[in-house]
Amino acid sequence: MKTLLLCFLVVFTASNISAQDNEGDDGVDTRNVRPAKINPLKGAPLRDRLYVGGDLNFNYGRNFLFFGFSPFVGYKITEDFSFGAGPKYQIYNYNDPSFSYKDDAYGGSIFTRYLIGEWGIVQAEAEIFNATNNSVFIQGDRATVGTLLGCIGYRQGSEQGYYQVLLCYDLVDDSNSPNRYMYMAGIPLFIRGGLVINL
């Protein structure tokens, strides 16, 4: 019985000493406490939270040429999470001996993005365009077209800025969407690249 009591006291004392080693100055157990993640942008001036940039879209073939430009400005909520907006302009030109066609679209977008690790990007973007209405046979008729993009991408650069390449999927896939000129083999998937500069 004395041996059992002695063993109990040794185990109890050892566990009590171990618990005291894991306590902070305020007596709180710190074994499973993670340090709070501090947002380095908290209280930062507006300039430190802003970035500017632009994306380019380009596609060409034997008889056609497509070009799109999308400047934007973004606001960082944290170092990794941000949102932004910007105007968009796209032009499409098709020429062959028997037929010629020219189209353009203009509008804007809002986006939110999350930077993953040292190189990854995940982005959701809503676009609205004034574009040619392909659902009617009236030349010059225009339509308001909305798209919703889900994008993943790669970035490379420094703290001052980086270039990016995004692979985007058009979730709406509207028949009037000007993005259709960039689709890969009829799939609403396209690539665009650009530059981001931190202010």
Side-chain angles (χ1 to χ4, degrees):
M1 180 73 171
K2 288 182 183 180
T3 308
L4 185 60
L5 185 58
L6 184 60
C7 287
F8 176 74
L9 285 174
V10 169
V11 171
F12 178 74
T13 305
S15 65
N16 199 16
I17 291 169
S18 174
Q20 287 176 357
D21 288 342
N22 290 313
E23 288 180 0
D25 294 338
D26 56 0
V28 176
D29 187 356
T30 58
R31 283 180 291 192
N32 295 320
V33 176
R34 294 182 186 171
K37 193 169 184 182
I38 298 170
N39 181 3
L41 293 176
K42 187 173 184 179
L46 179 63
R47 180 184 170 96
D48 291 346
R49 290 180 175 265
L50 292 178
Y51 60 90
V52 295
D55 284 332
L56 291 175
N57 307 336
F58 184 74
N59 195 4
Y60 69 95
R62 184 171 167 213
N63 297 320
F64 73 92
L65 174 67
F66 171 83
F67 177 77
F69 179 61
S70 313
F72 56 79
V73 61
Y75 179 82
K76 298 177 197 170
I77 297 170
T78 68
E79 286 287 338
D80 298 326
F81 181 66
S82 64
F83 65 89
K88 290 185 172 280
Y89 181 73
Q90 299 180 354
I91 188 165
Y92 174 77
N93 197 1
Y94 179 86
N95 277 311
D96 79 20
S98 61
F99 179 71
S100 180
Y101 177 73
K102 186 174 181 180
D103 193 10
D104 70 339
Y106 51 88
S109 74
I110 57 172
F111 64 86
T112 183
R113 68 170 41 183
Y114 188 78
L115 305 179
I116 301 172
E118 296 295 317
W119 57 268
I121 303 171
V122 176
Q123 179 168 306
E125 183 172 358
E127 300 174 312
I128 190 161
F129 289 101
N130 179 288
T132 299
N133 188 351
N134 295 313
S135 58
V136 297
F137 296 103
I138 302 170
Q139 190 170 6
D141 192 40
R142 308 286 288 183
T144 300
V145 181
T147 71
L148 182 60
L149 306 178
C151 306
I152 58 171
Y154 172 81
R155 73 183 198 279
Q156 184 69 48
S158 66
E159 287 185 13
Q160 286 77 33
Y162 55 87
Y163 70 86
Q164 64 184 16
V165 178
L166 297 174
L167 178 65
C168 298
Y169 186 83
D170 188 341
L171 299 165
V172 177
D173 191 18
D174 190 297
S175 62
N176 292 320
S177 171
N179 292 332
R180 72 189 185 282
Y181 298 123
M182 298 181 290
Y183 286 177
M184 297 179 181
I187 301 169
L189 193 66
F190 59 91
I191 296 173
R192 68 183 186 203
L195 184 67
V196 174
I197 301 169
N198 295 314
L199 296 181

